[in-house]
Amino acid sequence: MGKGKQTTSLPVTMGYRENHDKENRSPIKRKDAKASSSLANVVSNDALTKVGHDALTKVRPKTPARVTPLSIPSSMSSPLSPNADVFQLPPHISALPANTNLSSLFSTLSLTPPFSPHLPPPPVSQSPPHSDSGVTAVVEQEGYISLRLRHAVVLDFSANQAIRLTNNLKNSSMSLSACTTQMALVHPKGRILQYGPRVEVQTEDDVSVKNAKIYPRGISFTANNMALVYLLDEAGARSTSDMFHDLYATQIVDTLFMESCQREGQAVPTCIRLLDKARYWRTEAGVDCWVIGHVFIQQTEDGLVTVERELQQGDTFVLKTSPSNGKVRFDSRFVQMTASLGDESHMFLRSGDRRLHYSGQTKVFTVRNAGHSAGFDEEGELRI
């Protein structure tokens, strides 16, 4: 009888005791409650048929006869024994040496599922795993792959190769559109938005809010404590009229990425296929590498992430972020940009011969073009 199985009480007939005294004197063998259901099969069926249904309903004597304990013949093997006929091992296990028992067998078998054929197994680490040592990749319902790297760095890229790189530890992020003509950056030292041949920069500090725009005509810049907008071109600096976007009004990185994502119904299946064909390896220097579609990802042991996207025309776009010092970098044929935190906190932008530099320490804002320079000093005053 099974361990968790409940027994039902049998009805007892109180009448006609005298008529059935003789019948009640016959001993009735009861099954041992501790015997298993498989062992109970050893009892002969003839012994059970001798006790009719009517006898089970009679009152048993107060001192029933002692039940002889069940004994299993030595020639019979228990179904739970490894030597039983019903316990058959697979051919590859039965081919093991004869002295192999179940305990030693299961202790040596690996219960870990095989690795994906597309990705080589990770190296065995001698040190205990860190809380952020896991790397996961999932396909989101919006139609993009989210690769969650170590040190709270997340890389998102859509089916049409739009990219968003987020550094959660340093509150910075940047995105590149699928067509590669638009880029957005959010950093504690400022924000940058590129759309076509124009690049806008906005910084905020306790002195003023400064804006600048790099476009084919030159560099125009202003501040919220200034009444005029200035243009720096090949002729030098002069006042002009221009308009600037408020880059702090919205989440420009998330907006650009989501607007660039492929919205058709095939986005999710495409991402699943890209993830299924992903390749991974680890270099001798301890750099984790992935190739997903046309995107090449690297992460060093200190958390620095480098993302490269190469176009068929040969152009390469590089995005970098470091969770240790807050540095970010973006490189393309049209624009190069860096930003950092700490003692050398800054924001730097270069496009052709046009440059912009902002110091997070001194609050100096400087633009350069064709050998000329202008900007705002530590006090927020115009300097030419």
Side-chain angles (χ1 to χ4, degrees):
M1 186 176 295
K3 225 175 188 181
K5 186 175 181 181
Q6 296 182 353
T7 60
T8 58
S9 59
L10 297 174
V12 178
T13 305
M14 301 303 295
Y16 307 102
R17 179 186 180 97
E18 296 80 9
N19 297 336
H20 300 285
D21 240 304
K22 187 175 181 180
E23 295 181 12
N24 288 337
R25 291 193 188 98
S26 59
I28 299 175
K29 294 184 180 180
R30 294 177 295 174
K31 297 181 183 179
D32 191 351
K34 295 183 180 180
S36 65
S37 61
S38 59
L39 292 179
N41 295 331
V42 179
V43 181
S44 173
N45 292 332
D46 296 337
L48 296 177
T49 57
K50 290 181 180 180
V51 183
H53 176 71
D54 295 338
L56 295 177
T57 63
K58 307 302 184 295
V59 179
R60 304 178 188 275
K62 294 183 179 180
T63 58
R66 184 177 180 182
V67 180
T68 305
L70 290 174
S71 61
I72 303 175
S74 59
S75 61
M76 182 178 296
S77 299
S78 169
L80 301 180
S81 171
N83 297 324
D85 294 337
V86 296
F87 195 92
Q88 298 294 335
L89 296 176
H92 67 277
I93 298 180
S94 59
L96 294 174
N99 58 355
T100 303
N101 53 33
L102 291 179
S103 301
S104 62
L105 179 64
F106 288 128
S107 64
T108 57
L109 290 178
S110 174
L111 301 179
T112 304
F115 290 95
S116 171
H118 305 291
L119 303 178
V124 179
S125 176
Q126 300 297 331
S127 59
H130 300 283
S131 59
D132 60 347
S133 59
V135 176
T136 60
V138 297
V139 177
E140 302 291 349
Q141 294 182 353
E142 291 79 1
Y144 63 89
I145 300 173
S146 182
L147 183 62
R148 298 161 189 175
L149 305 171
R150 294 178 287 108
H151 300 278
V153 178
V154 180
L155 173 65
D156 302 320
F157 51 97
S158 63
N160 54 356
Q161 306 296 298
I163 298 174
R164 176 175 59 186
L165 184 61
T166 304
N167 185 346
N168 292 295
L169 292 182
K170 300 300 180 181
N171 298 320
S172 63
S173 59
M174 52 183 160
S175 61
L176 178 67
S177 64
C179 60
T180 69
T181 60
Q182 302 175 58
M183 185 272 297
L185 166 73
V186 171
H187 191 268
K189 293 304 172 183
R191 297 191 175 194
I192 297 176
L193 177 64
Q194 174 199 351
Y195 48 98
R198 290 172 170 79
V199 185
E200 288 196 40
V201 181
Q202 184 174 354
T203 63
E204 291 186 357
D205 52 44
D206 53 359
V207 177
S208 63
V209 178
K210 307 171 181 65
N211 293 80
K213 180 190 297 183
I214 297 177
Y215 59 111
R217 186 179 175 185
I219 305 176
S220 59
F221 61 97
T222 187
N224 64 346
N225 60 346
M226 294 286 170
L228 299 176
V229 177
Y230 301 93
L231 171 65
L232 184 67
D233 57 10
E234 296 179 353
R238 62 182 184 273
S239 62
T240 186
S241 61
D242 205 343
M243 297 181 63
F244 302 88
H245 291 95
D246 184 5
L247 304 183
Y248 284 84
T250 60
Q251 295 295 332
I252 57 176
V253 170
D254 297 338
T255 302
L256 176 60
F257 177 75
M258 296 307 298
E259 291 295 329
S260 300
C261 284
Q262 182 178 349
R263 300 300 181 90
E264 290 78 6
Q266 296 299 320
V268 171
T270 301
C271 291
I272 294 176
R273 288 193 298 269
L274 288 174
L275 195 57
D276 184 62
K277 297 179 181 179
R279 291 179 291 160
Y280 166 80
W281 69 92
R282 186 179 178 89
T283 66
E284 296 180 356
V287 180
D288 295 315
C289 303
W290 295 267
V291 174
I292 305 178
H294 298 286
V295 179
F296 178 44
I297 308 110
Q298 302 177 74
Q299 185 174 35
T300 61
E301 292 183 346
D302 63 353
L304 174 64
V305 176
T306 302
V307 181
E308 297 182 16
R309 179 188 169 189
E310 185 175 357
L311 303 183
Q312 295 180 353
Q313 298 82 359
D315 294 341
T316 302
F317 298 82
V318 180
L319 297 82
K320 294 184 178 182
T321 185
S322 173
S324 59
N325 53 26
K327 288 185 178 180
V328 297
R329 183 182 183 92
F330 177 83
D331 287 319
S332 69
R333 187 166 57 93
F334 175 70
V335 62
Q336 299 81 44
M337 176 273 303
T338 61
S340 66
L341 299 174
D343 297 336
E344 298 180 355
S345 61
H346 75 283
M347 178 168 286
F348 174 77
L349 177 67
R350 180 178 63 186
S351 179
D353 58 350
R354 302 174 177 90
R355 290 171 173 81
L356 181 149
H357 183 271
Y358 168 73
S359 173
Q361 295 294 325
T362 63
K363 318 302 183 195
V364 175
F365 187 89
T366 306
V367 294
R368 293 182 173 87
N369 182 24
H372 305 283
S373 65
F376 307 107
D377 58 14
E378 297 88 342
E379 303 297 330
E381 300 296 332
L382 177 64
R383 184 181 62 182
I384 299 177

